[in-house]
């Protein structure tokens, strides 16, 4: 997959789906980017891709008018080589200047890719992936950069990761070191990304790319509710199903930057990596720094093609493989049912009823430890509250397991409250400068996970709970951002290392826990989707997508999240009405029809449900379990966007096209509406499908061209002669299709 032309010093990475081409520039040794996109043939030379014209400006080489790097596309641009755009690496030299020149030295090609300890990254066997490492040497120091490209056989994907090493004696300060730089010729791009806030995550945004810098990112210590580490560039004509999309996702949970600089020569410089804001890293003698990995996807099948590639690729080469093919439990979480107000009896009553309804796993949420009756204390004191749970967690968990359920528990490992023994003993373990103001967030403070002893302390506390009780799942929460980054353990010159070291500490704790408890299912959470990123999926195969459990809001949140993340990763529950976040009253059926296109669970008080409601829930769970394998392993198609109108539709098709599940949702009812139909996707055109809920049979190609005729949307009176009620607001339907042989 990796071709190297010794004569021309050109590299061509191609797996027959995509091509990526770059070369070593003569005289300067700088890496020039030539092409990224649909696969092209292998040629003796790619000099037809080299664009050069003499232009006024600063030139690298005396006597040459075409060595101005300001309009040359590059792999690892730096300051000090006549390129004035944003650099991908910036170093402060002992002399105080920031002038670099990284020139080609050699390359190494290897087969297979092992995971990197402590830094979530993609992995693959020798037959799946080939890795090219290009080594660049700095002309002004003993620094060396390795540009690492992984090309996967089966996907239109290349991953990028960079390493810098200091073989010299003098320390250098790394101020910027991005994971990916890609200079693309502009194609009148739109840029697309996901933005939001607490309870309103993953809102889709698509705008025309303007000249200048367009940037998203996080400076909050977590990837954040506000932005997801993902962007895509596509020409205006690209739709869900057609057209090109160049997409970029970063496997990282901390402060990130994703930006595009459209310059005056119409080159779009795409950059992804750790946010240089607040970042600085000391490269001491023999020191090195490895960036997070970035994943570039090229799709010719529109945004849906892009999403399917991310879903399939992350399931095959990033997510904890133990969980990819294992059926996930249908869970019930007590948070919205009880909040902090529970005791053992109340919990057992919910669990008994849950068992009766067919639920697999009971999750005890916040409030089980210390003396936590509200959200203003006890974090960091992970000892069971014996007032609420006289038999502790082990007693409760044993009783729940004896009922025939699995037991799961909530933790917020990275936090501390001031009323705890941990804080009394180690006030300096809190992030912040003790001589300056330190803001609280939800009455709590962030523990300094850049310190191994802090991670170790929390590991020991969690380990104590896990080792004494039958716990098969944990929900790992994180409910505030780092607002005043400072570590009392770091020297003044190393303060810029805190946020990255913090995230490495988080990964370290995940590894410690999973090493000792490899069968533990972890669901990550950060006040909902505040840290929903590929890196955490490496450890925790599912993430709570949002604290907003309203079915209508969830349409947008789950639709947006599906841009990058597979349905098996999207934590989704049926919750109470009126909904606790927006006060909306939606039918139980619609709440389930939305939650089923995710991990599926319940989060409401089921103990006083009527027989009729209980029967409905029992039926929902049975329905979900019947479709679960299809939902979690099929190909996902978005059919109608909730961001564009009153309806939303999506479907999952089995890879062998023998079955499919379609979800259709209408937000508000309309009087005397137009007829509606949804055009399906991904079916085998020549197969006949039986549509279960309407007992009809149709050809795949007809369902994709004519569509499913919906009907049953309006009556003009409360019910018809057969007793069918008129669907009101928040109506939804699921259609199961199976191949008719
Ligand atoms: C966060 C989570 C919720 C719940 C609460 C508990 O907000 O997102 O699901 O666990 O914390 O305090």
């Amino acid at each position: 997959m990796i071709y190297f032309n010794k004569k021309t010093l050109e590299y061509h990475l191609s797996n027959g789906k995509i091509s990526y081409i770059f070369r070593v520039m003569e005289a300067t040794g700088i890496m020039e980017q030539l092409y990224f996109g649909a696969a092209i043939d292998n040629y003796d030379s790619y000099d037809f891709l080299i664009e050069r014209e003499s232009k006024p400006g600063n030139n690298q080489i005396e006597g040459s008018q075409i060595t101005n790097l300001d309009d040359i596309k590059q792999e690892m641009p730096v300051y000090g080589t006549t390129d004035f755009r944003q650099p991908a690496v910036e170093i402060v030299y002992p002399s105080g200047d920031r002038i670099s020149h990284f020139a080609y030295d050699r390359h190494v090609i290897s087969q297979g890719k092992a995971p990197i300890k402590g830094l979530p990254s993609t992995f693959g066997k020798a037959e799946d992936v080939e890795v090219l490492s290009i080594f660049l040497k700095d002309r002004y120091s003993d620094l060396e950069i390795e540009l690492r490209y992984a090309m996967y056989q089966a996907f239109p994907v290349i991953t990028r990761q960079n390493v810098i090493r200091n073989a010299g004696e003098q320390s250098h300060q790394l101020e910027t070191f991005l994971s990916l730089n890609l200079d693309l010729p502009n194609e009148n791009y739109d840029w697309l990304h996901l933005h939001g806030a607490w309870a309103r995550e993953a809102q889709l945004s698509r705008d025309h790319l303007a000249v200048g810098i367009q940037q998203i990112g996080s400076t909050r210590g977590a990837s954040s509710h506000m932005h997801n580490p993902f962007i895509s560039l596509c020409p205006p004509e690209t739709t869900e199903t057609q057209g090109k999309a160049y997409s970029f996702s970063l496997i990282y949970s901390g402060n990130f930057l994703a930006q595009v600089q459209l310059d005056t020569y119409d080159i779009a410089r795409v950059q992804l990596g750790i946010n240089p804001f607040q970042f600085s890293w000391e490269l001491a003698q023999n020191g090195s720094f490895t960036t997070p990995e970035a994943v570039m996807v090229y799709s010719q099948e529109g945004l849906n093609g892009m999403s399917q590639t991310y879903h399939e690729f992350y399931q095959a080469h990033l997510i904890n493989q133990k969980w990819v093919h294992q059926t996930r439990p249908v869970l019930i979480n007590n948070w919205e049912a009880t909040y902090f107000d529970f005791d053992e009896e109340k919990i057992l009553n919910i669990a008994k009823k849950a068992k009766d309804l067919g639920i697999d796993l009971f999750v005890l949420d916040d409030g089980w430890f210390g003396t936590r009756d509200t959200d203003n204390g006890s974090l960091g004191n992970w000892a069971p509250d014996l007032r609420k749970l006289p038999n502790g967690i082990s007693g409760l968990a044993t009783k729940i397991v004896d009922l025939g359920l699995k037991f799961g528990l909530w933790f917020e490992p990275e936090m501390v409250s001031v009323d705890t023994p941990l804080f009394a003993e180690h006030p300096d373990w809190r992030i912040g400068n003790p001589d300056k103001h330190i803001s609280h967030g939800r009455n709590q403070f962030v523990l300094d996970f850049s310190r191994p002893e802090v991670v170790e302390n929390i590991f020991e506390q969690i380990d104590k709970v896990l080792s004494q009780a039958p716990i098969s799942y944990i929900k790992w929460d994180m409910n505030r951002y780092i607002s005043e980054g400072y570590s009392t353990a770091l020297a003044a010159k190393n303060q810029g290392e805190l946020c990255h070291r913090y995230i490495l500490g988080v990964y370290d704790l995940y590894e410690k826990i999973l090493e000792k408890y490899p069968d533990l299912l972890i669901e990550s959470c950060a006040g909902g989707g505040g840290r929903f990123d590929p890196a955490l999926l490496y450890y925790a195969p599912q993430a709570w997508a949002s604290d907003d459990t309203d079915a209508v809001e969830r349409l947008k949140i789950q639709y947006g999240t599906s841009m990058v993340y597979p349905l098996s990763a999207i934590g989704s529950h049926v919750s109470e009405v009126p909904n606790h976040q927006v006060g909306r009253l939606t039918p139980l059926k619609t709440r389930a029809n939305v939650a089923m296109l995710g991990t599926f669970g319940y989060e409401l008080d089921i103990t006083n449900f009527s027989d009729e409601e209980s029967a409905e829930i029992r039926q929902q769970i049975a329905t979900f379990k019947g479709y679960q394998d299809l939902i979690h392993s099929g190909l996902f198609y978005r059919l109608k966007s909730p961001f564009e109108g009153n309806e939303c539709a999506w479907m999952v098709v089995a890879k062998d096209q023998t079955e499919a599940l379609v979800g259709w949702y209408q937000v508000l009812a309309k009087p005397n509406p137009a007829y509606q139909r949804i055009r399906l996707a991904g079916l085998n055109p020549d197969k006949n499908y039986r549509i279960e809920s309407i007992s009809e049979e149709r050809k795949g190609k007809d369902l994709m061209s004519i569509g499913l005729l919906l009907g049953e949307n309006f009556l003009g009176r409360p019910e018809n002669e057969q007793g069918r009620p008129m669907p009101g607001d928040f109506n939804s339907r699921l259609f199961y299709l199976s191949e008719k042989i």
Side-chain angles (χ1 to χ4, degrees):
M1 291 187 277
I2 295 167
Y3 308 95
F4 174 56
N5 184 331
K6 269 191 200 141
K7 231 167 71 203
T8 56
L9 296 185
E10 289 164 340
Y11 289 88
H12 180 194
L13 283 59
S14 184
N15 57 5
K17 298 175 178 60
I18 54 171
S19 280
Y20 190 74
I21 302 169
F22 51 83
R23 69 166 197 134
V24 181
M25 279 164 66
E26 48 287 334
T28 61
I30 287 171
M31 304 302 297
E32 178 176 8
Q33 149 73 31
L34 295 178
Y35 177 77
F36 174 52
I40 64 170
D41 290 347
N42 235 340
Y43 295 109
D44 287 344
S45 161
Y46 295 96
D47 59 4
F48 64 93
L49 289 169
I50 300 172
E51 297 168 293
R52 288 289 187 284
E53 263 174 51
S54 141
K55 288 187 189 146
N58 303 31
N59 273 281
Q60 264 280 303
I61 298 168
E62 220 174 311
S64 166
Q65 292 302 316
I66 55 165
T67 55
N68 176 359
L69 262 66
D70 215 15
D71 64 0
I72 292 178
K73 302 190 278 299
Q74 294 160 70
E75 289 298 292
M76 179 52 62
V78 297
Y79 173 74
T81 55
T82 72
D83 183 353
F84 294 89
R85 294 166 291 181
Q86 298 290 302
V89 57
E90 191 177 19
I91 296 147
V92 181
Y93 288 78
S95 55
D97 74 76
R98 292 163 190 245
I99 303 157
S100 300
H101 187 128
F102 283 92
Y104 176 80
D105 185 58
R106 64 192 191 281
H107 77 244
V108 173
I109 294 173
S110 55
Q111 318 297 321
K113 188 167 179 292
I116 300 176
K117 189 152 173 51
L119 188 62
S121 44
T122 65
F123 47 79
K125 299 199 182 85
E127 58 270 29
D128 299 331
V129 53
E130 209 163 37
V131 180
L132 166 68
S133 289
I134 304 262
F135 294 88
L136 311 175
K137 278 197 182 303
D138 186 14
R139 287 194 173 164
Y140 310 126
S141 70
D142 293 316
L143 297 178
E144 181 178 77
I145 289 181
E146 177 188 346
L147 309 175
R148 206 178 278 162
Y149 303 83
M151 173 127 235
Y152 284 84
Q153 184 74 58
F155 297 94
V157 164
I158 293 177
T159 76
R160 307 268 302 264
Q161 187 162 35
N162 300 315
V163 185
I164 188 163
R165 300 183 178 92
N166 183 5
E169 280 168 13
Q170 283 186 300
S171 270
H172 290 66
Q173 208 60 33
L174 192 60
E175 297 290 300
T176 299
F177 194 35
L178 301 178
S179 304
L180 168 148
N181 188 94
L182 178 66
D183 292 345
L184 286 172
N186 187 19
E187 296 178 55
N188 193 23
Y189 292 128
D190 288 344
W191 77 302
L192 195 124
H193 59 96
L194 302 170
H195 69 95
W198 173 79
R200 185 166 46 78
E201 298 86 342
Q203 308 290 303
L204 197 57
S205 158
R206 178 173 178 164
D207 293 293
H208 189 62
L209 189 70
V211 172
I213 293 178
Q214 277 107 116
Q215 176 191 105
I216 57 159
S218 169
T219 58
R220 297 161 189 265
S223 43
S224 90
H225 297 88
M226 285 69 195
H227 297 288
N228 199 275
F230 153 78
I231 52 173
S232 179
L233 294 185
C234 47
E237 59 274 15
T238 295
T239 64
E240 271 293 308
T241 50
Q242 286 178 328
K244 298 177 181 180
Y246 302 86
S247 308
F248 310 90
S249 160
L250 185 69
I251 306 177
Y252 193 55
S253 314
N255 290 345
F256 76 96
L257 171 87
Q259 75 177 18
V260 192
Q261 179 175 24
L262 184 60
D263 70 20
T264 193
Y265 298 109
D266 223 18
I267 295 168
R269 171 164 289 180
V270 182
Q271 297 183 314
L272 239 77
I274 293 179
N275 200 331
F277 177 85
Q278 298 281 332
F279 172 84
S280 174
W281 196 274
E282 186 188 8
L283 276 176
Q285 183 179 11
N286 295 324
S288 71
F289 186 89
T290 305
T291 68
E293 189 177 17
V295 180
M296 338 198 275
V297 165
Y298 173 73
S299 165
Q300 301 199 84
E301 286 92 34
L303 297 170
N304 214 121
M306 165 202 80
S307 298
Q308 287 183 355
T309 299
Y310 275 121
H311 298 175
E312 296 295 297
F313 178 67
Y314 281 158
Q315 302 217 68
H317 296 292
L318 178 72
I319 296 175
N320 187 345
Q321 292 297 289
K322 181 178 166 40
W323 293 105
V324 171
H325 305 291
Q326 194 161 316
T327 306
R328 307 283 173 81
V330 172
L331 66 81
I332 182 147
N333 177 305
N334 72 305
W335 178 240
E336 288 201 3
T338 66
Y339 293 107
F340 295 103
D341 181 18
F342 60 81
D343 55 22
E344 188 179 277
E345 196 190 341
K346 214 175 191 178
I347 294 301
L348 285 173
N349 282 339
I350 300 178
K352 277 180 201 142
K353 179 79 183 196
K355 176 64 193 165
D356 172 50
L357 296 178
I359 287 170
D360 306 308
L361 164 72
F362 177 89
V363 179
L364 181 61
D365 209 279
D366 194 357
W368 59 266
F369 50 91
T371 51
R372 188 158 162 96
D373 295 330
T374 66
D375 66 8
N376 60 17
S378 299
L379 293 167
N381 174 13
W382 299 105
D385 181 348
L386 299 178
R387 299 167 312 155
K388 291 181 189 171
L389 306 172
N391 303 303
I393 286 296
S394 57
L396 174 68
T398 306
K399 287 184 188 164
I400 287 184
V401 168
D402 287 347
L403 290 173
L405 288 165
K406 292 186 152 115
F407 180 76
L409 195 60
W410 181 95
F411 285 96
E412 199 180 354
E414 299 150 71
M415 299 295 152
V416 67
S417 310
V418 289
D419 66 351
T420 54
L422 184 72
F423 186 79
E425 240 178 89
H426 302 286
D428 58 327
W429 282 10
R430 148 171 85 160
I431 287 185
N433 184 339
D435 297 330
K436 293 188 176 174
H437 177 69
I438 305 175
S439 307
H440 77 92
R442 209 195 187 200
N443 310 304
Q444 65 199 46
F445 297 94
V446 188
L447 280 172
D448 186 352
F449 263 42
S450 75
R451 303 171 72 147
E453 65 275 27
V454 178
V455 174
E456 186 55 35
N457 177 297
I458 298 299
F459 171 70
E460 279 166 17
Q461 290 199 52
I462 293 177
D463 184 28
K464 194 165 169 202
V465 182
L466 295 183
S467 62
Q468 289 171 6
I471 297 174
S472 14
Y473 161 110
I474 64 176
K475 175 173 169 187
W476 178 321
D477 211 338
M478 195 283 295
N479 277 311
R480 64 155 292 179
Y481 298 125
I482 297 172
S483 46
E484 291 91 7
Y486 182 87
S487 168
T488 49
L490 290 171
K493 64 176 183 341
N494 300 113
Q495 287 298 331
E497 300 177 12
L498 171 67
C499 284
H500 183 58
R501 288 190 184 276
Y502 174 88
I503 284 295
L504 295 181
V506 172
Y507 297 151
D508 187 33
L509 183 56
Y510 265 104
E511 296 206 352
K512 282 188 156 69
I513 292 174
L514 285 171
E515 203 177 309
K516 180 140 187 210
Y517 303 96
D519 294 334
L520 196 64
L521 171 60
I522 306 185
E523 176 155 351
S524 77
C525 171
R531 210 164 52 181
F532 201 129
D533 54 64
L536 286 189
L537 289 185
Y538 176 84
Y539 301 113
Q542 55 193 67
W544 182 226
S546 178
D547 275 354
D548 198 331
T549 53
D550 172 64
V552 175
E553 295 305 312
R554 274 294 183 132
L555 290 175
K556 288 186 177 163
I557 294 166
Q558 293 177 206
Y559 187 98
T561 305
S562 80
M563 282 289 147
V564 186
Y565 308 98
L567 298 189
S568 60
I570 303 178
S572 49
H573 300 167
V574 172
S575 67
E576 205 80 60
V577 286
N579 173 267
H580 293 194
Q581 291 75 39
V582 291
R584 193 173 282 136
L585 278 154
T586 52
L588 184 55
K589 177 181 86 169
T590 291
R591 281 176 272 153
N593 287 350
V594 176
M596 280 192 207
L597 278 287
T599 59
F600 198 58
Y602 288 82
E603 186 162 339
L604 72 181
D605 189 357
I606 48 174
T607 51
N608 46 25
F609 267 21
S610 66
D611 289 350
E612 204 184 323
E613 284 168 316
S614 303
E616 192 175 345
I617 293 192
R618 221 172 267 124
Q619 183 55 48
Q620 290 173 350
I621 293 169
T623 303
F624 175 75
K625 288 188 173 175
Y627 302 150
Q628 183 169 9
D629 281 352
L630 165 65
I631 295 171
H632 289 172
S633 68
L635 292 172
F636 185 60
Y637 292 85
R638 292 178 295 261
L639 305 175
K640 271 180 196 256
S641 168
F643 294 100
E644 286 167 13
N646 194 37
E647 281 173 274
C648 171
W650 46 41
M651 70 186 287
V652 192
V653 183
K655 292 204 181 98
D656 62 5
Q657 297 175 309
T658 53
E659 54 171 353
L661 182 72
V662 181
W664 171 83
Y665 313 84
Q666 174 170 277
V667 180
L668 293 181
K670 289 237 166 86
N672 197 9
Y675 293 111
Q676 288 161 307
R677 49 178 80 179
I678 354 166
R679 282 191 188 83
L680 306 190
L683 299 172
N684 183 324
D686 301 319
K687 282 189 172 164
N688 277 315
Y689 291 93
R690 192 184 147 68
I691 307 159
E692 199 174 73
S693 45
I694 50 176
S695 305
E696 285 183 12
E697 217 180 289
R698 296 267 183 280
K699 260 222 144 72
K701 60 181 156 204
D702 298 347
L703 288 164
M704 296 191 287
S705 62
I706 303 167
L708 247 184
L709 275 51
L710 283 174
E712 291 198 4
N713 204 21
F714 181 69
L715 287 174
R717 54 190 187 282
E719 61 177 44
N720 70 3
E721 296 77 13
Q722 287 79 40
R724 175 171 77 75
M726 181 167 78
D729 290 345
F730 321 125
N731 182 23
S732 69
R733 291 163 76 182
L734 290 185
F735 300 90
Y736 174 70
L737 281 64
S738 56
E739 181 187 2
K740 183 90 176 49
I741 304 170

